[in-house]
Structure formats: C-alpha cells, structure tokens
Amino acid sequence: MYKINENYLKLPGSYLFSMIGKKVNEYSKAHPEQEIIRLGIGDVTQPLAPVVIEALHKAVDEMGKVETFHGYAPELGYEFLRQAIVENDYKKRGVNIEVNEIFVSDGAKSDSGNIGDIFDIDNKIAVCDPVYPVYVDSNAMSGRTGSYDSETEKWSEVIYMPCTEETGFAPELPKEEPDIIYLCFPNNPTGSTINKTELQKWVDYALKVGAVIIYDAAYEAYISEEDIPHSIFECEGAKACAIELRSFSKNAGFTGTRLGFTVIPKELKCNGVSLHSLWARRHGTKFNGVPYIVQRAGEAVYSEEGKKQTKEQIAYYMNNAKVIREGLKKAGYSVSGGINAPYIWLKTPNNMTSWQFFDYLLENANVVGTPGSGFGPSGEGYFRLTSFGSYENTVKAMERIQKL
Ligand SMILES: *Cc1c(COP(=O)(O)O)cnc(C)c1O
C-alpha cells in the first residue's frame, strides 16, 4: 500500500486569494452596477516590450528550419543569455560573477520552492513575517517546518522575523540561530528595502553563524534609490554564504512567459562541498531547461532598446505607486513601500483587522487590495495595494479612498 507525503496535510489551506475571490464575487453579484478596481494583484499588466516580441518571432521562425532548429537547451542555459546576465546584472554593478555560476530557470517561484532539495531536512529556516508564502510552504512540504499551529498561524520549527512598523519593516537578526535565512528585497508584500550597510550585516551574520542566505531579488529593477543593493553579491563575503534568485517576471513582464535564474557562486561551500555542484546535479536531473525562444526573449531584454522599453514599463508602474503612496498619505494613512517596489503597505485605520479593512474598502470604495494577515501573523493590521493596475484606475481608486 502506497503512502502519500503527509507533510502536505499539515499545510493550512491557501485561504488568502480564494477568500478574496469569493468576497469580490459575492459583492459584485449583489451590486452589479458598481465598478470594482483591483489593486490586489501581484501580476504585471503591461504587454511584453516590442523588442521582446520581435525576438520571440525571430526565434520561432528559427525553430521552423532544420538549420536553425533547437532541441534541448544546455543544462545551465544558453551562453548568450548567461553572458548578457553577467555583463548587465553583475559586471555593470562591479560584481564579478562567472557565466558558469548562472543557472537559467523557469522562474524564481520554482527556484525558491526547489532550492530546499539540496539541503538536509534537519535545517532550521528563518523567514520574514509577513512573507512571500512559497518559502515556508515549500519547506513544510519537505517536512522541515515542524507542526502548524492554527492559533498562532506559525510553524513550530520556523524562526519568524517580524517586519512591522516597530522594526522599520525590516527584519532584525534573530535571537535563535537559523541555518537557512530567506531574505527578499525589495520586499513583497511590504515594499520595503534595506541599504547596503544593513544587508552587509546579514552577510556578516550568516558567515559568523554558518548559515546560508537565499536572497530573492525579483524586484531589483524597481529600486530607485542610490544606496539600495541590487544584488546581495554587492556585499563583501556574500559569495561564501548566499544564493541569489532573479526573475524576468516583474522586471520585464515575463510572468506568463517564464524566465528566471539562480546564482550560486562556486565558492559557496558547506564542509568543503560545493552547493553549485549539488544544484547543477539537481538542475540536470529534474529540469530540462527553458525554451530557446524564451531565452532569446530574455536576451532581448538586455539590448539597448530592451533596457529602454522595460525601464518605461517599470516607470509606468512606479508612477502608479507614487499616486497610491501620495494619495493614501493625503487621506491620512500611514504608508510605507512604493519607492523601490511596486507594493504599498499601509496600516489599517482605527485598529481594524486586515480583513475588516478589506471589507470596508470593498464596500465603501469598491477597491480590492490584499489583507496583510494573509502573508503572516505580523501582517495583521496591515494591507497591501499594488501598482500593477492601469494609471486611470489607480487614480480613480485614490479619489474614492480620499472621499471615505
Ligand atoms: C513575483 C515574485 C517572484 C517571481 O516569481 P516567478 O516564478 O519568477 O514569476 C519571486 N519572488 C517573489 C517574492 C515574488 O513576488
């Protein structure tokens, strides 16, 4: 008789987005005349840049001719893309990463969920609270998180690092020593960032206690301020303690096209064993590469035109972020984020819970956002709005909120 992986049964239901969907559906059924504005989405809405479309078309045509057809991609990804990544994302920022330290993948969600494969079950993870749920859930699936307490909404074997108003929405070094530390900056959901000096403290800490940092930099393209690091490898010593995850989803609108990469420096070693070789083995065994046409599309993002066009898309979203940030401030809200990230994190007024504020906003302004409590217990009392909507709707939403 076979057995299932019972760790899956310990997972709490993915309540957040189904609950939002249910509430919005019920409301719009009862009030069909009301126009609802959705600022809860964590997905881009602008179409792919023209140069990306051009590269896709060209690559598709190549696939149709025997001379230029491409089968399985090289295990770590095509050299043309990895070279463009090394040049543009690292060398231009003064960071020396080798082409062979880049693993092209189908996105940062898969990579952040899969990276646990190369670590023993007996490792203690530390996560920010609130957090992008994939880090915790994927560790729970492999049995690394102990048992779930629905009262506290916490796993017994996870170190939670609260990121609230009191901590400036950044984590503090944990009291209990973790083995694996997940960091995501600019942050989803809070939109916060930390500067280079602060990130250096995490690198120093990881080196001191012998921990590895999984650094999710999916939103690095949204950074607008000078002293915010785009890569953890800008910090001294990071190559000996960190893995970086990157994605084309938010920086070039590839959420539906699928492309990302992981950087594992060769000098990252655990008792003399290179993590790079373990991930190479895992990648080669369980993954058969990203389509040639998508890797060509990714290469186009790094062309001069590509950089210009994707920069415009990000500027569009960041202008929305500014509209939300300023609009909420004018309406008297306490807000953070929205400067180096497409997310605005606000404190719910009058001590409302996150869900009470969700209902209030839906019913009185017909605006949909995301309750902060859905990202972890320390998200209670907060609310996330995203700048991925249209400019017109974003402005309209703020006008409605200001009238409340
Ligand atoms: C959107 C997002 C990603 C990107 O995931 P992809 O699989 O590359 O689309 C990664 N991390 C965080 C925190 C995100 O919000």
Side-chain angles (χ1 to χ4, degrees), residues 16 45 60 79 90 147 185 212 217 225 237 256 301-302 322 353 374:
L16 182 63
T45 51
V60 165
E79 182 102 9
Y90 295 103
S147 55
F185 293 111
V212 63
E225 292 180 317
V301 170
Y302 293 107
K322 193 171 162 204
T353 66

Side-chain angles (χ1 to χ4, degrees), residues 42 106-110 132 135 184 188 216 218-219 247 249-250 255 258-259 343:
D106 62 345
K109 187 179 200 174
S110 327
Y132 180 59
Y135 314 146
C184 171
N188 176 12
D216 184 342
Y219 295 95
S247 169
S249 286
K250 314 299 170 18
T255 51
R258 311 306 311 142
L259 185 63
Y343 299 117

